Amino acid sequence: MNPDPDYSAAYLRVETDAGDGLEGHGFVFTIGRGNDVQAAAIRALTPHLVGRDVEGILDDMGGFWRELVWDSQLRWLGPEKGVMHMAIGAVVNAMWDLKAKRAGLPLWQLLARMTPEEIVDLVDFRYLSDALTREDALRILRAAEPGRGEREARLLAGGYPAYTTTPGWLGYSDEKLVRLCREAVADGFGMIKLKVGGNVEDDVRRMRLAREAVGSGIRIAVDANQRWDVDEAIAWMGRLAEFDVAWIEEPTSPDDVLGHAAIARGIAPIPVATGEHSGGRVMFKQMLQAGSLSVLQIDAARVAGVNENIAILLLAAKFGVPVCPHAGGVGLCEAVQHLAMFDFVAVSGSAEGRVIEYVDHLHEHFVTPTSVSDGVYHAPTTPGNGMEMLASSRKEYTFHD
Ligand SMILES: [Mg+2]
């Protein structure tokens, strides 16, 4: 589905004249030429930032999110999905980066120390209230409140479980697949993921090799990257079921709520996972209502930033569905770990059945690269949202201007 990616990012840096030297950084990950379109969308939001009072924005991040999402002329381009919505995500995330740096806290900790009332004020419940009300959200957050301190300490001591997609790319030889599977186990990962959907006989062979290489104690998920129609997905997964599949990810179009639900029924008990291309909170609401997914995959740079991902985390908690974030790309691991850790401490209160995706490349370009070892993400302690790239990398790789 993505045969020629050219990993890119539309990158945003917010400066102020506060004199503290702090900047807010955010980006939208893209896979090539779309990056120019994405950058133009971010520029279209300039009037919402330039000349504004920074404290006013940072003190009311819920209001700022609504202001951007409800810019009626730009809203026409979505609404609440696609290029414009992702651009809003970059701006919102950059402002959260600035807020976290000013607070001297990593984003996950800043969020996890807010009161339940402050957290729900970040969320726009419009269109969600048939599935999640403000009162529901408060109940979820208050239930998690007593255990926050204990879980924060546990997270800082033991990290958050990771899984690796490194072994499973289509196009690797069988020998390389087996070698990387063994290395993943040796590196302490409890789960790996294989790309599927090219050729069913190849997938059966690769799954058998992977299962033999990792043994029965390691979970293996598969990812079809939207390749199939509904019936094809069910038939294909029927061939892979014998290998004890942890989940099938993106079996079909990310917009197909009822198609995912049909696949989920057709391949039960294999879980269906999706979300990395889900346009926003309303789509996630429907997926949860329809039983379309049983693993929810948020992405830090797909929806309109931290606020919307908090709404999605609350929806998942309401429906009792585990969140296993999508990552990889450029900087997505650095960014999304903060949301998973916030969820663990202050929302779901659980890491049961939850893992953050990990792909081991391009981390060297970030000011605070992920720290992953022994199969876990170690909690970042540097202030900010993790999205800041090194100035030297930005300079070396900036394209166009
Ligand atoms: Mg995927």
Side-chain angles (χ1 to χ4, degrees), residues 108 112 144 147-149 151-152 155 340-347 349:
W108 68 269
R148 282 185 182 188
R151 283 190 297 275
E152 183 172 323
L155 182 62
M341 290 174 187
F342 159 66
D343 175 69
F344 171 65
V345 175
V347 185

Side-chain angles (χ1 to χ4, degrees), residues 40-291:
I42 293 173
R43 279 191 202 100
L45 293 162
T46 304
H48 289 285
L49 282 180
V50 173
R52 290 280 295 275
D53 171 49
V54 66
E55 280 76 22
I57 293 176
L58 296 181
D59 288 346
D60 181 17
M61 288 295 284
F64 183 60
W65 189 90
R66 277 182 283 271
E67 175 190 323
L68 295 177
V69 172
W70 293 92
D71 177 321
S72 64
Q73 295 185 7
L74 295 176
R75 184 178 170 76
W76 192 263
L77 302 181
E80 295 193 45
K81 65 177 81 69
V83 176
M84 204 62 242
H85 207 52
M86 293 160 84
I88 292 170
V91 174
V92 168
N93 284 337
M95 295 308 286
W96 276 106
D97 185 48
L98 184 58
K99 188 175 169 88
K101 285 171 177 169
R102 284 182 157 214
L105 292 171
L107 177 64
W108 68 269
Q109 217 163 29
L110 172 69
L111 296 172
R113 291 179 181 185
M114 295 173 81
T115 66
E117 291 75 14
E118 288 170 335
I119 295 169
V120 295
D121 284 345
L122 300 172
V123 173
D124 186 355
F125 289 94
R126 191 172 192 173
Y127 307 141
L128 299 186
S129 62
D130 55 323
L132 177 79
T133 64
R134 185 184 162 88
E135 288 64 41
D136 292 334
L138 279 172
R139 215 174 301 123
I140 290 164
L141 293 165
R142 284 177 183 147
E145 225 178 348
R148 282 185 182 188
E150 181 267 328
R151 283 190 297 275
E152 183 172 323
R154 200 142 48 97
L155 182 62
L156 285 165
Y160 194 105
Y163 76 91
T164 176
T165 311
T166 298
W169 302 98
L170 293 172
Y172 284 180
S173 68
D174 288 353
E175 292 69 30
K176 187 168 182 177
L177 168 71
V178 168
R179 175 171 57 80
L180 292 175
C181 283
R182 291 197 179 120
E183 283 175 17
V185 177
D187 287 344
F189 292 103
M191 175 170 150
I192 63 169
K193 189 166 78 189
L194 267 55
K195 301 288 186 182
V196 296
N199 173 291
V200 70
E201 301 305 332
D202 286 346
D203 286 348
V204 169
R205 188 187 73 257
R206 293 168 67 249
M207 274 299 279
R208 178 169 289 120
L209 288 169
R211 180 50 78 199
E212 285 168 4
V214 301
S216 59
I218 302 293
R219 301 169 72 208
I220 307 178
V222 296
D223 184 352
N225 287 102
Q226 313 167 17
R227 287 291 283 263
W228 301 319
D229 277 22
V230 171
D231 293 342
E232 193 181 13
I234 295 169
W236 203 298
M237 289 310 298
R239 296 287 309 278
L240 302 181
E242 65 174 296
F243 302 108
D244 188 17
V245 177
W247 72 57
I248 170 62
E249 178 171 322
E250 287 204 303
T252 191
S253 163
D255 292 345
D256 193 346
V257 176
L258 299 181
H260 276 85
I263 294 167
R265 286 191 302 272
I267 66 170
I270 298 173
V272 171
T274 194
E276 71 183 81
H277 275 89
S278 187
R281 63 207 168 102
V282 178
M283 184 62 77
F284 279 110
K285 180 193 77 169
Q286 295 176 76
M287 289 272 185
L288 290 163
Q289 287 172 319

